[in-house]
Amino acid sequence: KTNNTGSTNNTGGTTTQPAGQTDTGNASGEGKEKILRLGNISSPTGKFNPLYANDDYTAYINNLIFQSLVTVDANANLQPGLAEKWEVSEDSKTITFHLFQNIKWTDGEPFTAEDVQFTLEFMSDKNYTGLNSTYVQQIVGFDEVHNQTAEHLSGINVIDEYTIAITTKEVYASFYEKIGRGVGIIAKHVWEGVPLAEVEQRTELLQNPIGTGPFKLQEYKADQYTTLVKNPDYYEGTPKIDKIIIQVVNPDTAQAQLLNNELDMIRVESLNPDDIKIYEDAGFEVKSNLLNAYQHMVINFNDPILSNKDFRQAMAYAINREGIVASLLYGYGNVANTIYTKEFFAYPGDDAINDYAYNPEKAIEILSTKAGYEYKDGTLYKDGNPVKLTLIYPSGNKAREGAATVIQQNFKEIGIDLKLELVEFATLTSILQERKDDNFQLALLGNGFGADADVAQNVGTGGSNNHSQYSNTKVDELLVEGLTSLDNDTRAPIYKEIATILNDELPVIYLYNWERFTIVNPKVKNVNVTTYSFYEGVETWDIVE
Amino acid sequence: MSDTILKVENLVTKFKSSGKTVTAINGVDFSIERGKVLGIVGESGCGKSVTSLSIMGLLDRKRTEISGNINYQGDNLLQYNDKQMQKIRGNRISMIFQEPMTALNPIFTIGFQLKEVLALHKGIKNKKEAKQISLEMLQQVGIPRPEKVLEEYPHQLSGGMRQRVMIAMSLLCNPELLIADEPTTALDVTIQAQVLELITGLKNQFNMGVLFITHDLGVIAEMADEVLVMYAGKVVEQAPVQELFDNPLHPYTRGLLSSRAVLFHKGEKLHCIPGKVPGLTDMPIGCAFHPRCNSVCDECRAKVPELKEVSHRHFVRCFPVQKGDLGYGI
Amino acid sequence: MEYKQAEEKPLLEVAGLKKYFPIYKGILAKKTGDIKAVDDISFHIRKGEILGLVGESGCGKSTAGRTILNLLEPTGGKVTFEGEVLYDVEKKQKITANRMRQMRKDMQIVFQDPYASLDPRMNIGTILTEGVLKHKLYQKKEALDKAKELLEICGLSASAVHKYPHEFSGGQRQRIGIARALALNPKLIVGDELIAALDVSIQSQILTLFQEMIEKFSLTTLFISHDLSVVRYFCDRICVMYLGSVVEIGTSEQLFSQPLHPYTQALLSAIPKTSPKDNKDRIILTGEVPTAANPPKGCKFHTRCQYATKRCKQEVPQAIEAEPGHVVNCHLVEKRTGADYL
Amino acid sequence: MAEKKQQENGTSLFKVGMKRLKKDKLAVFGLTVIIIFTLAAIFAPFIAKYDPAVQDLLNTYQPPSKEHWLGTDELGRDVFTRLLYGGRVSLSVGLISTGISALFGVFLGAAAGYFGKAVDGIIMRITDIFMCFPFYVIAITVAAIWGSGIWNIMLISGFLNWTNICRIVRAEVLSLRQREYIEAAKALGMNDFEIILKHILPNTFALVIVYSTLGIAKGILSEAGLSYLGLGVTPPQASWGNMLAAAQSLRTLSLYWWLWIPAGTAVFITILSINFFGDGLRDAFDAKMN
Amino acid sequence: MKQYIIKRLLVLIPVFIGISIIIFALIHSAPGDPYAYMVESGLPIEEKEIQLQKIGYYDSLPIKYIKWVGNVFQGNLGYSIRYAEPVATVIGRRIGNTALLSITSLVVSSILSIFLGIIAAVKKKTVTDYIISVLSLIGISLPTFFLALGLIKILSIDLNVLPVSGIETTGANYTGWKRAVDIFKHMFLPFLVITCTQTASMVRYTRSAMLEVLGQDYIRTARAKGLAGRVVINLHAFRNTLIPITTLIAMSLGNLLSGTVLIETVFVWPGMGNLLYQAVSNRDYPLIVSGTLFLSICTLLANLLADILYGIIDPRIRYN
Ligand SMILES: Nc1ncnc2c1ncn2[C@@H]1O[C@H](COP(=O)(O)OP(=O)(O)OP(=O)(O)O)[C@@H](O)[C@H]1O
Ligand SMILES: Nc1ncnc2c1ncn2[C@@H]1O[C@H](COP(=O)(O)OP(=O)(O)OP(=O)(O)O)[C@@H](O)[C@H]1O
Ligand SMILES: [Mg+2]
Ligand SMILES: [Mg+2]
């Protein structure tokens, strides 16, 4: 069931119940404070500014404190965020956001359009050292602000206190994803006076964030825990939970902590049926979401062997991806054959693509008939030389680590000697980013993306995540075309075509999509984790002992 | 005789190690009198130190087996338990050792190590009093600038000084008996002369008995009133010092006396005792000295001779001598 | 023992020999002074002569012996062996390392400690043939035969070549040490306290053996000992050291009949009696015993000398030949020469 | 008869030590275990029925059975097989890393001790520097930066652990240098090189062996520790360390005992045996007891 | 004494320089460039160049080193990339936790191992001695993380008497005495693991040190004075044994401060080991360099402390 409906309504979303003083907070509740304890495998960095945090663990906290203009629901449909509604101009280049009028920063200041303007201009500045400046590059006037020849983005028009219009240079298809959903709005009155170059050194400000979200930071202890308390003034209603403590746990022992009631909820990358049984026997709820992400094998296109498409297809046939999903993921996931997951609106449909079902014979056949290889006595030869390849893969993900050895064994079956090299994640990324011809041949990596279909960074020529250095003019053209509309209905066919091409060309070998688990103590109610948001409706979460 | 301080009878000391038992001393008898020096001579390993340590009860009880009788004031010291022995050690019977360089605890001051004895045996806890007594004692043993020495650590003193401190320590409680186990072996001749003089002087002053152990016949000649010659864990000859030097009877004693380097003359052959001292584990049958003896008879090879008085106060453990087979002696 | 006039050249000549060991202190290892182990000594040994070097522990006898053999780097002085200068520090003259190694064949040493002077991991055969093979005196097999021969001469069985040092007693080890030195057929042999570590009954064995060897191989010998009584009849001449310096040299007879230096006198009187009947007047030394690291100024012995004068505290006494061949370093002797002092 | 023979051939200190060692029951036990494990590792291909890397994704987490004596792991690989091959890796990591550190340690220690003065000063300062390095921190940094293959682990362990042997050898050489037999060798006309080679090094040998033995244990433990942090020998190559590390989750600890008990026991028994043996060696060859 | 310490400190300087050079070279010779992590990856090439230039990426290694040392001397250890805080602050926050854990363990294990070591030495070759020796061998033969996980399984999961990880119960907000108890509970497991391994290795040392002392002549002298066996051991023997042991303890302190990477990781103990492991995984180079340097200096100082203590306890050195 692909999901490309809705979400393009220009004035989306329903106005949720106004955040009156519905509850006098916990003052009445002489009873116990409702505390939710979450596990986080690594410590947040203390950069509680959404424009600077570039790791999951900090984002995990920032997402409770900061908000963006829009959000998406479980099906990637746009939903109001800070903006109540929005309209798109004729030429699709200008979007006008109408902000909720009753939102306050947690220090009591009102939230206004100026904060949005400030945030976007903040990101445009040359001295902004966060990683997201590309999000706002499309806004008119970006270059001037970036080079400090202009103070304000000319593409931004603050119409009134609660209305702001943003104009992009071209039609910017990723607008909602990047600007609407991707930018957490920060408070102008807090950051105004701070020279941009010094932001990352303003520990005091970074660690006492002022946001608009449902929770406020109370205490941050690096490498131990972060405590957040509810924001009673949250415009969508005072959260029912009084406090969230996100604590650093050792993934090896987190399970024990959950069962020992030292934690209420954890997010786990992989589980096996035995684990699930343990949890379920103990009465825990195990939720899973297919992530909008895929694991793949990066292929160095500068390598003479690997640049051959037949060879790549043969590799895809040779790898027992079904087996990987069944055994390493215990079935919690599916084989990936192109860049999008089956649930995504841009997925071209099973019929439109080749499923490269595990078939080593076929792989050998392709190699020997089409690609000019010779398969003899269990070894594959090219011009009389046995074929040898090296696969580097990062540590840290057990399933992926296992996949590497499966691939090694599968390659052996088609006569390829595959050498494995385990490296640390950071090492791998630095190798891939070097973009050299010969510093790697094959590499395993995961890649995730948000609710938008644009994959230019992944498969476009010179894209920052295009580690294979794949280049295809047709794909490049389609990628540009895909950006010219804000309407996913219009865009869908374009991206489907891209997906089909990728399925055939295999710039990377797509391996699998996987599910992420959330294990929840039954006393925590109303948890509804979606593919796009962990804290969906967090203000309604409750704890009932 | 009321002058007898200690009477040792048939002392046998055995060491047990990993199931085996070796006999280090095998039937030693002697007695020590007040104001007299009993010297024990013998080569390395013949059991001199073990004899003294057995008397002091300083051997590891678990690893040794001591039998016989060490008669002290009518009691057998071997029957004493640890507590009773502790009362006697360092108090009634004290001991000084061969190695003055290592016999003092390096991390305590001389003063502390002296005071400890006073507190222990005399109950003198008063610092001033203890210091006073210590000072006097140091002066007695001829230590220059004793006040300073009290504050010093052993490594700051020379060997001779340390040995004097040891002597001072052993005399603090006016012991009846001083056991000196090769007290001068590690010292230079000039220092040795000083120490020997000192011991003689103090012995006379305090009227102690002294058990003086050495392997140097010259020192014996100088110090002893009565001499015990030991060989392989047994006394082979016992006599007053003059008698021993004038009229040595046992072939071993004779050998020892005539092989002294002092007597070496250029161009002449020095007398030698051939062979070497047997180890505890390869003790010959019969007289332990017989393999090295030049007047050995059949009996010597078969039986262990008894220690017999062959002339007045002159005892010897040798068949040929006892039978008068040798051309000298008696 | 009569004193022979020096006609032929001495085999070994030692002039103004000095050996200081630097004292380093602190972690910076700053040199803060010297242990003057050997401080300006001179003597000579004629061919076939036995010179005794006596003195108390730590007075620098061993150091002198080693420095003469160039086993320790000299601090000063000159040593001539068979007319060839081994080194002359003042003239910055030094024999080459190669030549020195060649010459080692002719000058050997036997050490004090029989337990430490044999490499525990080598068997006796190897120990004895090592030097012979190094100097290519014999082939391997011959060398071993020669070693066995030597062992027998030294009173050990030939089968000992297969054994290891720990299987021998101290006396036997000392014999091996002597055999090792003799294996090279040297001209000069330094015996460093050969018997100090041995049992009384063994001492005489070793001493006898050593003397036999000296006669047999007609060796020139520097015999180091701390015991005056031992060297008395063993040596032709005796050299008495105190704290790194020579205080008196003379023939044994001269020294024993007319000791001139107060230290020699004290040393002689400290020898224990040989019999209880002996009646001796003891000179008991008093006073502080100085160390080589901090020797007293002037005459080094003055702190313990009962005759010490003001001059002794300030001025280093020069060598005075009191009678032919009898040299003494003492101010007192200078003042009242010869007989009237005695 | 036997006695006579012995007398003729003499008994070197080595033989004496061996004799003493033979009496030490724990040491003999240790040595036996080490030999058995080493043989098992060497002959792994003949003992094991499976290939250590071959996976059977349909048969993961199988408890021990007739086919799989110690069950299978998360990829269906035979645990017993991996244990044998893991022994190869772990033992060689221990051995080679110790070899490296012993080589460095002996060389530098001997040079420092024998030549003294400036050479000694410089070498000792370098030793100080290396002694101050926090082992695991440097090890993980290097492993992370340069990758963590088996060779890298050996090198890291080797380069960070030579200081101990260096200091011990230096101290020993310093005292050996004072021994009279060294001087005797000099007096015989031997040169420095011959003296070091024939007299000094052989006499440090026992000490080096003892400390190296204990170093092997340290090497194996370091590999296991680094594996726990994901920086040990890289899979699919099996080492005891990474087998243990793979089983670190509590789920594995409670549900799949065959994934960690055998590997854990293998490490434990090996280290224990090495320690027993090393201790025995030390007692048997200790210079003071000779 | 003062002079001695000053001298010792002076000698540390070349060692310190050596350490810093090696660490610096180590990090900077890493393949891939550490600076890549300091610069936004999505930037256009030219911008990146400018930024790289600015951080000093193009300086030669010696220049980089000199710049860095200059900063260090101004008390500026650098800025942690990951934590966006001065490295000194980050380290400052952790070192206390590490010190708490390691010093407590060290104190307890020292007392324990001295006690056991002395018993083993006094009862040499008895059953007691063998038991202690074998136990200590077992202790040093267990991989620490393994022991840690085993203890967690038994004490935290099966018996559920101790918390699994962390330093205090989050959210409980205990204060005063209660907080101390809470921290103690959390600390107990890591403390137990460190103490076990530390004791195991120290016992062997104490035992042999004690044995050596017991064989000395002055012990015999003490007994010859008539002192009771207890006094001989507790005063004369023990004081002398203390000399090598104190050195050992002080040196262990240096090791412990950094040697707990594994244990801190297992127990999520917010200390130096854990921090540096995180820093390494996140390639937080300024933090790695300064953290490692800091720990090395701690070790260096601990060794210095050992030397000084040695000098204080042992009069033979004191008066030299
Ligand atoms: N604790 C012990 N265990 C086993 N044997 C011992 C022990 N103490 C001494 N012996 C043995 O007892 C014998 C006598 O030793 P003792 O120390 O009495 O000799 P000594 O005559 O004092 O020799 P020295 O002149 O060398 O001091 C020696 O053979 C020695 O090996
Ligand atoms: N290698 C060395 N380093 C420093 N000092 C030394 C060294 N060798 C000897 N000394 C010192 O030199 C002085 C003379 O020592 P030497 O061994 O020559 O004396 P000795 O007369 O042979 O004494 P002994 O009778 O004890 O053998 C002593 O104070 C000693 O401490
Ligand atoms: Mg003795
Ligand atoms: Mg000497």
Side-chain angles (χ1 to χ4, degrees), chain C residues 61-62 112 192-193:
Chain C
K61 308 179 295 290
S62 303
Q112 171 170 15
D192 187 356
E193 311 232 21

Side-chain angles (χ1 to χ4, degrees), chain B residues 237 243-251 253-255 257 314 328-329:
Chain B
E237 186 160 2
E243 165 78 6
L244 192 87
F245 276 81
D246 287 351
N247 190 16
L249 289 179
H250 197 282
T253 318
R254 295 178 67 86
L257 283 168
H314 194 153
Y328 57 81

Side-chain angles (χ1 to χ4, degrees), chain B residues 49 98 181-182:
Chain B
S49 298
Q98 174 170 1
D181 188 355
E182 314 210 22

Side-chain angles (χ1 to χ4, degrees), chain B residues 188, chain C residues 19-23 35-38 54-66 72 112 192-193 196 224-226 241 243-244 291-293, chain D residues 178:
Chain B
D188 277 322
Chain C
K19 174 66 195 173
Y20 297 169
F21 294 102
I23 309 171
I35 295 174
K36 299 185 174 171
V38 174
V54 285
E56 284 178 289
S57 169
C59 71
K61 308 179 295 290
S62 303
T63 309
R66 287 163 194 203
L72 292 174
Q112 171 170 15
D192 187 356
E193 311 232 21
I224 297 174
S225 174
H226 64 262
M241 280 181 75
L243 222 57
T291 64
Chain D
Q178 306 286 329

Side-chain angles (χ1 to χ4, degrees), chain A residues 489-507:
Chain A
D489 285 340
T490 326
R491 297 171 75 202
I494 300 168
Y495 287 108
K496 284 181 183 175
E497 193 179 346
I498 292 176
T500 315
I501 296 175
L502 296 179
N503 169 253
D504 179 55
E505 290 250 302
L506 295 177

Side-chain angles (χ1 to χ4, degrees), chain A residues 5-267:
Chain A
T5 50
S7 82
T8 38
N9 321 7
N10 289 349
T11 54
T14 44
T15 327
T16 30
Q17 83 275 21
Q21 265 72 0
T22 43
D23 209 6
T24 11
N26 52 345
S28 64
E30 270 298 289
K32 256 174 76 185
E33 257 192 327
K34 290 177 176 172
I35 299 176
L36 177 69
R37 293 160 305 173
L38 294 176
N40 203 356
I41 334 184
S42 192
S43 173
T45 60
K47 291 185 205 172
F48 298 118
N49 179 326
L51 309 186
Y52 286 90
N54 39 23
D55 65 320
D56 278 3
Y57 311 105
T58 314
Y60 208 43
I61 286 158
N62 281 341
N63 289 346
L64 284 169
I65 303 170
F66 296 95
Q67 292 182 296
S68 52
L69 291 171
V70 299
T71 62
V72 292
D73 65 12
N75 298 319
N77 297 324
L78 286 179
Q79 299 293 336
L82 291 166
E84 186 177 10
K85 52 187 193 257
W86 51 91
E87 60 244 4
V88 180
S89 69
E90 275 305 299
D91 62 359
S92 295
K93 288 186 182 170
T94 304
I95 302 180
T96 308
F97 290 94
H98 300 278
L99 308 176
F100 282 107
Q101 307 201 350
N102 57 346
I103 300 179
K104 279 203 180 111
W105 293 102
T106 44
D107 60 0
E109 296 286 322
F111 161 76
T112 69
E114 286 202 357
D115 292 313
V116 180
Q117 183 192 25
F118 173 78
T119 304
L120 297 177
E121 284 169 356
F122 187 99
M123 291 168 75
S124 307
D125 196 288
K126 187 158 93 185
N127 291 323
Y128 163 62
T129 51
L131 298 186
N132 304 333
S133 69
T134 47
Y135 288 14
V136 294
Q137 258 168 357
Q138 285 295 323
I139 299 176
V140 174
F142 171 83
D143 299 322
E144 289 80 354
V145 173
H146 189 70
N147 298 327
Q148 294 176 333
T149 52
E151 201 178 325
H152 292 294
L153 288 168
S154 50
I156 292 185
N157 180 12
V158 178
I159 295 162
D160 64 35
E161 233 181 308
Y162 299 107
T163 317
I164 183 168
I166 302 167
T167 309
T168 53
K169 298 171 192 165
E170 305 291 334
V171 176
Y172 185 35
S174 301
F175 193 103
Y176 296 121
E177 177 67 10
K178 296 283 163 67
I179 299 171
R181 204 168 82 90
V183 177
I185 304 300
I186 58 172
K188 183 180 179 183
H189 65 274
V190 174
W191 289 102
E192 205 168 20
V194 182
L196 269 160
E198 285 173 23
V199 170
E200 293 206 66
Q201 279 141 44
R202 289 299 176 92
T203 314
E204 181 61 25
L205 286 180
L206 287 171
Q207 295 190 1
N208 293 294
I210 303 296
T212 56
F215 285 86
K216 307 189 277 194
L217 187 89
Q218 185 186 40
E219 191 186 7
Y220 161 64
K221 276 226 158 157
D223 289 338
Q224 295 185 44
Y225 58 87
T226 314
T227 309
L228 298 122
V229 288
K230 70 179 175 191
N231 174 4
D233 301 327
Y234 184 54
Y235 76 104
E236 290 198 71
T238 307
K240 297 195 168 120
I241 294 174
D242 297 302
K243 215 181 232 181
I244 296 182
I245 297 169
I246 299 179
Q247 105 187 46
V248 183
V249 297
N250 176 348
D252 295 334
T253 53
Q255 182 181 54
Q257 287 177 288
L258 205 63
L259 296 174
N260 275 3
N261 204 15
E262 287 175 35
L263 283 177
D264 301 317
M265 195 166 150
I266 50 173
R267 204 159 55 152

Side-chain angles (χ1 to χ4, degrees), chain A residues 313-496:
Chain A
Q313 291 190 336
M315 288 198 291
Y317 279 115
I319 298 173
N320 184 358
R321 295 173 299 159
E322 295 87 341
I324 293 174
V325 171
S327 63
L328 296 175
L329 302 180
Y330 312 100
Y332 300 111
N334 55 254
V335 172
N337 281 309
T338 185
I339 194 161
Y340 301 117
T341 63
K342 292 187 183 208
E343 294 178 0
F344 200 64
F345 77 90
Y347 185 68
D350 290 347
D351 300 339
I353 57 172
N354 186 350
D355 66 355
Y356 296 106
Y358 173 53
N359 192 342
E361 291 80 21
K362 180 149 186 186
I364 294 173
E365 191 195 315
I366 293 174
L367 288 168
S368 41
T369 56
K370 288 198 200 165
Y373 286 82
E374 193 187 356
Y375 182 76
K376 208 170 59 188
D377 307 328
T379 311
L380 193 68
Y381 294 93
K382 168 88 173 176
D383 308 329
N385 301 319
V387 180
K388 286 185 177 154
L389 294 172
T390 305
L391 170 72
I392 51 176
Y393 65 107
S395 57
N397 179 325
K398 285 270 148 9
R400 185 169 54 207
E401 282 175 30
T405 58
V406 174
I407 293 171
Q408 182 187 41
Q409 198 184 328
N410 290 155
F411 274 26
K412 200 171 173 190
E413 285 159 16
I414 60 164
I416 298 174
D417 181 13
L418 182 69
K419 200 178 136 218
L420 296 186
E421 267 176 33
L422 180 74
V423 296
E424 243 216 326
F425 193 84
T427 309
L428 181 77
T429 44
S430 72
I431 291 174
L432 294 179
Q433 268 160 11
E434 277 180 39
R435 291 289 140 81
K436 286 211 187 117
D437 294 355
D438 53 1
N439 63 348
F440 79 101
Q441 287 182 304
L442 299 168
L444 292 189
L445 202 61
N447 189 32
F449 46 97
D452 189 66
D454 181 25
V455 288
Q457 293 304 327
N458 301 309
V459 292
T461 305
S464 64
N465 282 329
N466 184 355
H467 302 305
S468 293
Q469 301 180 57
Y470 169 71
S471 173
N472 179 317
T473 34
K474 177 70 185 161
V475 170
D476 287 345
E477 278 167 32
L478 287 168
L479 284 169
V480 172
E481 195 186 337
L483 290 176
T484 53
S485 166
L486 285 172
D487 178 9
N488 275 356
D489 285 340
T490 326
R491 297 171 75 202
I494 300 168
Y495 287 108
K496 284 181 183 175

